[in-house]
Amino acid sequence: IVEGKYHDEL
Amino acid sequence: MNIFRLAGDMTHLLSILVLLLKIYATKSCSGVSRKTQELYAIVFLARYLDLFTDFISVYNTFMKIVFIASSLAIVWCIRVHPMVKRSYDKDLDTFRHYLLVAASFLLALFLHEKFTFLEIFWAFSIYLEAVAILPQLVLLQRSGNVDNLTGQYVFFLGAYRGLYILNWIYRYLTEPRFTRWIACVSGVVQTALYADFFYYYFISWKNNSKLKLPA
C-alpha cells in the first residue's frame, strides 16, 4: 500500500 | 495499514453483510431506513470519485468497489425488489435526509483540505457519513422492537468508525506528519451519535432481552 498518499483510508 | 483500521474495515464489511443477510433471508427491510441506505450510497459515490484515477492498493480498490456496489444493491432492493419494497415502512422513515445532504455539502464548501472538486466531495462524504445514521436511529426509536439482524447491523456500523478513531490515534502516534482533522472530528461526532444506541444495545445483551430504544 502506498502509505502517506493523502486519502489512503476508506 | 494497522490492525485498528483493518478491524474497522472488516467490521464495516460485516455490517453490510449482516444487512444483506437480513434483507435476503427475510425478504424484508422492516426496521431498515431506506434514507440511511441512500445517504450511504451518496457517501461512497462522493468519497470514491478517485476510484479509477488514484490507485493505492488492490485491497483499497477492491473494498471501494464492494462498498459502492453493496450500497447501491441495498437501495435497489428496497426501492425496486417487489417482496422487499412491500415491507418498507415509508410512514416511519420520515427523516428529511435531503437536509443532511444540503448541510454537509454546504459545510464542505467552507471546510475542506483543498478547494478542488475531489477534495470538496471527499469532505462532503465525510460530513454526510457522520449524520447518515440519523434516519435509521429515528426509525429504530419509532419502530419499537428491533429485530436482531437490524440491531447487529447498526451496532457494527457504529463500531467500525470507533475502530477508525483508534486507527487515527495510532497513526498520529506513529507517523510524523499525520493529521486528519476533518476525518477525526467527524468520526468522533459520528461515533458519539451511536452512544445511546450502544448503551441500549449493551443493556439488551446483558439482560438477554429484546433491544428496545425508548421513544
Side-chain angles (χ1 to χ4, degrees):
Chain A
I1 298 180
V2 186
E3 288 294 354
K5 271 187 83 69
Y6 198 59
H7 296 313
D8 58 352
E9 297 181 345
L10 289 171
Chain B
M1 170 64 83
N2 59 67
I3 186 62
F4 303 111
R5 181 144 65 98
L6 185 62
D9 291 340
M10 292 304 108
T11 305
H12 191 185
L13 185 61
L14 185 60
S15 76
I16 292 171
L17 294 177
V18 164
L19 181 57
L20 282 169
L21 171 70
K22 177 229 162 48
I23 291 177
Y24 179 76
T26 65
K27 290 287 182 287
S28 150
C29 66
S30 65
V32 175
S33 162
R34 183 183 81 192
K35 299 187 171 183
T36 286
Q37 300 311 313
E38 287 167 351
L39 292 179
Y40 257 98
I42 295 169
V43 164
F44 293 135
L45 290 169
R47 189 173 303 174
Y48 303 147
L49 288 170
D50 61 349
L51 176 62
F52 300 111
T53 57
D54 215 0
F55 178 78
I56 290 171
S57 71
V58 172
Y59 170 82
N60 187 272
T61 301
F62 175 72
M63 292 297 280
K64 286 176 175 177
I65 292 171
V66 167
F67 287 161
I68 290 173
S70 58
S71 60
L72 292 175
I74 288 167
V75 170
W76 178 84
C77 260
I78 299 180
R79 275 189 171 278
V80 180
H81 188 294
M83 288 278 282
V84 178
K85 179 177 174 181
R86 202 173 37 237
S87 61
Y88 172 58
D89 197 338
K90 65 178 180 302
D91 303 330
L92 280 177
D93 195 14
T94 58
F95 200 100
R96 288 195 293 275
H97 64 321
Y98 50 85
L99 293 179
L100 298 176
V101 176
S104 304
F105 194 77
L106 210 59
L107 185 59
L109 287 176
F110 294 101
L111 262 182
H112 41 259
E113 305 290 349
K114 287 192 294 272
F115 194 77
T116 65
F117 181 80
L118 280 179
E119 282 304 322
I120 286 175
F121 271 86
W122 181 83
F124 162 62
S125 80
I126 293 289
Y127 302 139
L128 186 59
E129 186 186 3
V131 293
I133 198 61
L134 286 174
Q136 179 63 60
L137 292 178
V138 166
L139 179 62
L140 290 186
Q141 280 179 333
R142 287 201 183 130
S143 59
N145 67 326
V146 179
D147 71 80
N148 291 343
L149 286 172
T150 306
Q152 282 156 8
Y153 160 68
V154 176
F155 174 77
F156 289 128
L157 190 57
Y160 114 83
R161 214 62 180 171
L163 289 165
Y164 253 74
I165 293 172
L166 299 182
N167 152 65
W168 289 320
I169 294 170
Y170 176 85
R171 293 190 75 178
Y172 181 77
L173 296 175
T174 56
E175 293 174 31
R177 293 179 323 286
F178 182 80
T179 52
R180 296 281 168 85
W181 295 121
I182 288 182
C184 288
V185 172
S186 196
V188 170
V189 167
Q190 176 171 337
T191 308
L193 287 176
Y194 286 79
D196 70 331
F197 173 84
F198 283 147
Y199 170 72
Y200 290 109
Y201 193 78
F202 172 72
I203 297 290
S204 82
W205 170 77
K206 197 161 66 71
N207 303 340
N208 197 16
S209 60
K210 255 324 226 173
L211 174 62
K212 188 149 177 41
L213 294 185

